[in-house]
Amino acid sequence: MGDLLAARSQMAVSLGFHILFAVVGIAMPVLMVIAETRWHRTGDAMYLELAKRWAKGTAILFAVGAVSGTVLSFELGLLWPSFMRFAGAIIGMPFSLEGFAFFAEAIFLGVYLYGWERISPRAHIAAGTVVAVSGAASALFVVIANAWMNTPAGFRLQSGLPVDVDPIAAMLTPAAFPEVLHMLLAAYAATGFAVAGIHAMMLLRDRRNAFHRRALAVALIVGVPAAIVQPFSGDISARYVARWQPPKLAAMEGQFRTEAGAPLRIGGIPDVQAERTRWALEIPGGLSLLAFHDAHAVVHGLDAVPRRDWPPVPVVHVAFQVMVALGTYLALLGLWIVVEAWRRRDLAANRWLMRAVALASPMGFLCIEAGWTVTEVGRQPWIIFGVMRTSDAVTPMPGLIVPFLVISALYCFLGVVVVWLLYDLVMRSPITRESDGAAAAPAAA
Amino acid sequence: MAIAIAVIALVALNAYVLLAGADFGGGVWDLFATGPRRADQRALIAEAIGPIWEANHVWLILVVVLLFTCFPPAFSGLAIALHIPLTLMLIGIVLRGSAFAFRSYGSSDDAPQRRWGRVFSIASLLTPLLLGVCIGAIASGRIGTMLDHVARGAPGESFASLYLLPWLSPFTIAVGALALALFAFLAGTYLTVEATDDVLREDFRRRALFAAIAVFVTAFLALLLARSRAPRVSAGLIASAWALPLHVLTAVAAIGAILALRFRRWHVARIAAAAQVSLILWGWAAAQAPYLVPPSLTVENAAAPRRTQLIFLVALALGALVLFPSMTYLFRLFKTARVHETVPTGRNDSV
């Protein structure tokens, strides 16, 4: 493994690991605050129990997210020093603002977790709300920095160096809005369905468990709307990519030739040697229609750029197909749930629905991993699209396979531990039947 | 303006050292918890750190962000030259934070509690050591020299001479040990204030006094080695106009802290200890000024364009409006007038 590949792999592992925890940090506080609010509204102690349990899980996940985020902020320099030297002054701004959002998040999470008996109920809910809002703000700023790498702006190149740096313009790039919207919705959909899935699994075993019924309802309130809206946000993203990063769109769709009325390919494996995508289900004019809202529009293929500027086409195409497939599943499932809820059916009693929700549990997260693969790998070979190549940004230190293996091993270990701890936390859920109507059984803690 | 930003960076680093440094020091005392009150000592440390360590940790992020936004060549250079110690420090940070959270919120069974406690405390010991090593390496000036080599293609240089030796020397290790001693000293002193009863307070008083001795030894060692290993900083600390007043102030703070501990004036001791540690940090910075990474990168020649600096300062001011009230609220809530019977700790949280 060469140094460049090792550095890229380490970055991929670090991002892929961190994003899972970051997403939970964005959405979980919303679930906690909803549960706590319901406790105040209804006086049903089980909602309080729910908020406290979710808070415990969130505390573990947030801590891992905070430290793995720290690793990333250093890795930007450790792995890509030339990139940071070039871009630091341009995109430092969103990172700085993210720093303050992160401060607010960490401070008020501390207040939330340890303040149950110390502050008024109103102040406690307010603290949780600040955590939720600043979590979303953190995501906003970090994704804005990523958007700049896709559509760099706010500077002029003069003999290879940036001049006339404008940090504000660098934050308001064309990619910023679609990326931020897509990421935030993904965070709520993924977390909502992940939590709902876990409780659906428990309900499949024990349909009348009042604790899990309440948990399911709160999680779906967050997950379902986001999942249903997400395809529209995806449409905005696709049209932005078509306009600003044609090679990325071409790789996503396996579109090798520039053509009018390009077909939409579902599935298929791109063959880079033969320059065609095999075994795909093709819908004539579909891609042109989706990317430009015109079935006859010209879509630029990979042939529009030199071969050395092609991203790794099969990876991007397959990741994109996976993201769309899983996202569609979540959106359709969301509609099904809306219909059932509209008819005032008991969701937990519908075993097929519960199975479908349980199946959805990991899907949002897989979807996010696939989506980031599309964004990041699709930008290659550029670290700053059209401006700086990834190979020119990597650190001169040799032997990068060693830190890559060390960080990977560390994260594998932590991943296993976290899954085990959460499993343990879920398995210790209280058993209170709906018909019992009693307050939550005190759990062993 | 660049100087103002450099000063702000130092203030942020100072906050990190005083706040997060004490959290790391707490981990060290967790490792060295001994005697019949071992469990109580550990519980007090966990309770003291629990609500605040994540917020304290963010100061480091602020320092990093500040560095790469306002002094990109310095950040980039340090990241190249200190790749290995920084990566090791990150591993320490990851293990410290995760293990603490796992212990606080995971299973309350005895075996996992002890296992994660061990990981937490060892990581708390190694991280300050590596932070000190990195600062020592910067002060030594050998990082800057190494970067010039790399920029020229580093003909005939071995891996070790480029990526190991510039940061691995008796001097840098002495600075690492000094950082560790300082953090342990801070934690010990703070914990005398936070202790719930007099017996526990005496435990940490002894520990703080012991750490104070360690600070003297390691500081003396670092200064001694600095004469040959970090001549620029050493000269600044000896010959500058501000050198004598600084040493006098530091000595006053150090002796004050020890006397306050001796006479059990806990709050005075805490202030004096914090002042002592801050003065050491500022002394290093003043001796190294105007260099960020000696001998080539200065505050001026490594600075980002003026427009970035200006907007950054505005963002910083706005951020401070959010940060300081929140921070005050957090510390008011958890660090004053503690009613101990009702405090849920990580260990026996009755959820």
Side-chain angles (χ1 to χ4, degrees):
Chain A
M1 185 185 252
D3 281 324
L4 176 62
L5 186 58
R8 282 184 56 200
S9 307
Q10 184 178 337
M11 203 65 193
V13 167
S14 304
L15 273 171
F17 183 78
H18 173 69
I19 188 74
L20 302 175
F21 298 90
V23 158
V24 169
I26 296 165
M28 241 8 245
V30 179
L31 269 73
M32 283 154 26
V33 168
I34 293 177
E36 196 182 346
T37 311
R38 285 207 164 180
W39 168 53
H40 288 304
R41 289 251 174 84
T42 62
D44 181 344
M46 229 169 307
Y47 282 115
L48 174 64
E49 175 68 20
L50 197 54
K52 287 201 168 181
R53 274 174 177 280
W54 279 342
K56 266 195 168 188
T58 304
I60 293 174
L61 295 165
F62 185 86
V64 179
V67 291
S68 60
T70 310
V71 172
L72 276 173
S73 68
F74 275 89
E75 274 177 344
L76 287 172
L78 291 175
L79 298 173
W80 318 107
S82 310
F83 163 69
M84 287 313 285
R85 192 185 179 115
F86 182 98
I90 309 170
I91 54 162
M93 199 50 52
F95 282 114
S96 316
L97 296 171
E98 194 271 342
F100 285 108
F102 183 30
F103 252 130
E105 215 178 336
I107 289 172
F108 286 97
L109 187 70
V111 171
Y112 190 88
L113 292 176
Y114 289 83
W116 288 99
E117 279 97 14
R118 284 172 178 254
I119 53 178
S120 71
R122 195 183 292 262
H124 197 258
I125 286 187
T129 310
V130 174
V131 179
V133 171
S134 45
S138 294
L140 170 91
F141 292 125
V142 167
V143 175
I144 280 178
N146 178 269
W148 180 84
M149 295 163 74
N150 283 309
T151 48
F155 66 99
R156 211 158 47 74
L157 268 181
Q158 199 172 66
S159 55
L161 292 172
V163 292
D164 293 342
V165 168
D166 181 353
I168 303 288
M171 287 180 69
L172 306 171
T173 64
F177 174 71
E179 270 198 46
V180 169
L181 180 67
H182 208 52
M183 181 70 241
L184 282 177
L185 287 172
Y188 296 124
T191 310
F193 271 105
V195 174
I198 291 169
H199 293 287
M201 248 178 281
M202 307 303 279
L203 284 167
L204 279 169
R205 289 188 200 168
D206 178 10
R207 190 164 63 84
R208 304 219 56 85
N209 185 308
F211 179 78
H212 294 302
R213 294 170 78 93
R214 281 162 180 71
L216 180 79
V218 175
L220 288 177
I221 286 169
V222 174
V224 167
I228 293 175
V229 177
Q230 187 67 304
F232 298 98
S233 145
D235 174 59
I236 297 173
S237 292
R239 280 189 289 143
Y240 129 76
V241 175
R243 182 165 169 208
W244 295 96
Q245 291 184 294
K248 187 189 273 187
L249 183 81
M252 283 155 65
E253 299 288 353
Q255 181 78 30
F256 285 92
R257 270 173 301 125
T258 302
E259 61 182 321
L264 180 70
R265 293 181 186 79
I266 297 172
I269 306 287
D271 181 339
V272 180
Q273 288 311 315
E275 304 201 359
R276 55 179 290 228
T277 299
R278 296 176 205 275
W279 306 305
L281 175 65
E282 298 197 356
I283 300 168
L287 177 56
S288 292
L289 185 67
L290 282 176
F292 296 98
H293 288 193
D294 169 7
H296 304 292
V298 174
V299 173
H300 286 284
L302 286 157
D303 58 1
V305 292
R307 195 144 186 165
R308 62 194 288 265
D309 291 349
W310 287 15
V313 182
V315 176
V316 179
H317 179 72
V318 170
F320 181 64
Q321 302 298 312
V322 169
M323 177 186 79
V324 171
L326 297 180
T328 307
Y329 176 85
L330 292 180
L332 292 176
L333 180 57
L335 287 176
W336 185 9
I337 290 164
V338 168
V339 170
E340 290 292 300
W342 183 261
R343 293 171 169 177
R344 303 195 171 281
R345 296 270 173 78
D346 179 6
L347 297 181
N350 186 336
R351 291 188 72 79
W352 279 108
L353 182 64
M354 284 303 100
R355 282 186 194 122
V357 174
L359 188 65
S361 203
M363 280 192 187
F365 287 98
L366 290 175
C367 214
I368 286 173
E369 297 288 6
W372 275 104
T373 306
V374 173
T375 322
E376 297 293 279
V377 179
R379 194 189 58 239
Q380 303 301 327
W382 304 98
I383 191 165
I384 309 170
F385 185 67
V387 176
M388 181 186 271
R389 282 173 189 276
T390 314
S391 54
D392 294 332
V394 72
T395 183
M397 193 182 91
L400 290 176
I401 188 162
V402 177
F404 162 56
L405 291 178
V406 169
I407 294 284
S408 304
L410 177 69
Y411 282 173
C412 281
F413 166 69
L414 287 183
V416 171
V417 172
V418 166
V419 168
W420 188 82
L421 285 177
L422 293 183
Y423 176 80
D424 192 48
L425 206 59
V426 171
M427 284 304 145
R428 281 187 282 137
S429 303
I431 309 163
T432 308
R433 291 285 152 23
E434 190 64 297
S435 50
D436 294 354
Chain B
M1 190 154 56
I3 293 171
I5 293 175
V7 169
I8 293 170
L10 197 59
V11 171
L13 185 62
N14 197 348
Y16 181 68
V17 165
L18 290 185
L19 298 166
D23 295 342
F24 283 111
V28 173
W29 293 127
D30 182 288
L31 185 64
F32 294 124
T34 49
R37 289 174 301 280
R38 193 175 350 183
D40 295 337
Q41 290 168 7
R42 291 199 167 126
L44 174 67
I45 293 164
E47 190 184 308
I49 297 177
I52 54 164
W53 72 269
E54 293 195 80
N56 292 345
H57 169 78
V58 186
W59 288 104
L60 179 66
I61 310 264
L62 192 63
V63 173
V64 168
V65 166
L66 225 151
L67 205 58
F68 73 56
T69 307
C70 296
F71 307 102
F75 176 72
S76 158
L78 292 177
I80 293 172
L82 297 173
H83 189 115
I84 297 170
L86 285 175
T87 301
L88 293 174
M89 186 180 91
L90 287 172
I91 294 169
I93 286 175
V94 167
L95 285 177
R96 192 279 298 240
S98 316
F100 186 78
F102 295 164
R103 186 177 69 169
S104 301
Y105 299 102
S107 161
S108 53
D109 297 343
D110 219 33
Q113 281 279 328
R114 243 185 320 202
R115 207 175 315 129
W116 292 122
R118 187 55 59 89
V119 175
F120 156 70
S121 57
I122 292 175
S124 297
L125 185 110
L126 291 178
T127 309
L129 208 60
L130 287 157
L131 182 68
V133 164
C134 290
I135 288 181
I138 297 169
S140 74
R142 293 181 67 187
I143 297 295
T145 317
M146 173 270 180
L147 286 171
D148 294 341
H149 274 305
V150 172
R152 281 187 272 107
E157 297 281 351
S158 70
F159 180 87
S161 73
L162 288 173
Y163 295 101
L164 281 178
L165 298 179
W167 58 269
L168 198 61
S169 71
F171 170 67
T172 60
I173 292 170
V175 177
L178 173 62
L180 181 62
L182 287 170
F183 289 1
F185 175 57
L186 283 177
T189 315
Y190 293 0
L191 284 166
T192 60
V193 180
E194 309 226 354
T196 40
D197 61 73
D198 287 338
V199 198
L200 219 47
R201 199 165 277 134
E202 290 300 318
D203 282 354
F204 285 108
R205 171 173 174 262
R206 266 198 311 281
R207 283 166 170 70
L209 285 169
F210 174 77
I213 297 170
V215 167
F216 273 111
V217 173
T218 49
F220 180 74
L221 210 61
L223 270 177
L224 203 67
L225 289 165
R227 292 183 64 170
S228 60
R229 297 295 185 141
R232 185 187 309 276
V233 170
S234 175
L237 284 173
I238 292 167
S240 307
W242 46 260
L244 190 64
L246 177 89
H247 292 306
V248 170
L249 275 175
T250 313
V252 167
I255 294 166
I258 288 172
L259 286 178
L261 283 171
R262 166 78 184 74
F263 293 107
R264 298 183 170 78
R265 302 292 299 272
W266 313 117
H267 286 88
V268 178
R270 178 164 69 172
I271 292 169
Q276 180 194 349
V277 173
S278 306
L279 284 165
I280 292 174
L281 188 72
W282 287 82
W284 157 62
Q288 193 180 295
Y291 292 98
L292 280 174
V293 186
S296 44
L297 292 173
T298 65
V299 170
E300 291 294 343
N301 75 19
R306 285 187 66 82
R307 185 149 176 190
T308 298
Q309 295 180 36
L310 195 68
I311 295 173
F312 186 82
L313 281 176
V314 173
L316 216 55
L318 292 177
L321 283 181
V322 179
L323 173 61
F324 287 116
S326 316
M327 206 59 124
T328 313
Y329 178 62
L330 179 75
F331 279 84
R332 277 243 174 111
L333 201 56
F334 294 107
K335 295 292 161 194
T336 51
R338 304 163 70 89
V339 186
H340 289 282
E341 305 81 77
T342 61
V343 178
T345 69
R347 293 176 71 83
N348 48 15
D349 192 352
S350 56
V351 169

